[in-house]
Amino acid sequence: MASGLLAASFFDALHPRASDDEVAWFAQRIGNPATLVLEAMCGAARVLVPLLARGFKVHGADASPAMIARCEEKLAAQSLTTTLFRQDVAPLNVPFRYGAAFIAGSAFDAIGAPAAAA
């Protein structure tokens, strides 16, 4: 999957924000807003920012420096902060314990190797 600045800009233009229904779906499954959650493959914060805006505690991880940069821009634009990791999700190693983790949209399809997906 392409992950440079142009790809991040294109993806963000196509999918700027999750719908209210999609955000509500994730919020319902997370349940308690105080539960620390990880959005793996968070991309440009399509789901991450709306969940944070609703008061959920969500960290993000993405392997793409350009996607993390877009995520940081969106966080700053809404005066939100969270922890972000620039890491591939297959060998993910972070210093937190999470009550839940999710991969939104079709991001999981970007994992090409079956062993990495497992």
Side-chain angles (χ1 to χ4, degrees), residues 90-107:
L92 190 67
N93 183 14
V94 295
F96 294 93
R97 294 181 61 90
Y98 296 98
F102 67 92
I103 298 174
S106 61

Side-chain angles (χ1 to χ4, degrees), residues 5-89:
L5 182 57
L6 181 59
S9 297
F10 182 75
F11 180 85
D12 198 26
L14 285 176
H15 311 282
R17 184 189 184 283
S19 70
D20 290 339
D21 288 342
E22 185 178 3
V23 175
W25 188 90
F26 281 105
Q28 181 181 21
R29 276 142 189 87
I30 294 167
N32 184 353
T35 299
L36 183 57
V37 176
L38 175 68
E39 182 180 1
M41 303 178 80
C42 66
R46 193 180 68 79
V47 175
L48 182 102
V49 164
L51 283 173
L52 288 169
R54 287 184 179 207
F56 285 85
K57 291 174 55 179
V58 186
H59 291 175
D62 202 286
S64 166
M67 287 293 200
I68 291 290
R70 296 294 282 200
C71 188
E72 290 170 336
E73 290 170 12
K74 287 184 176 183
L75 289 166
Q78 293 201 25
S79 300
L80 297 169
T81 60
T82 194
T83 300
L84 300 174
F85 301 99
R86 189 172 54 85
Q87 289 189 41
D88 186 1
V89 300

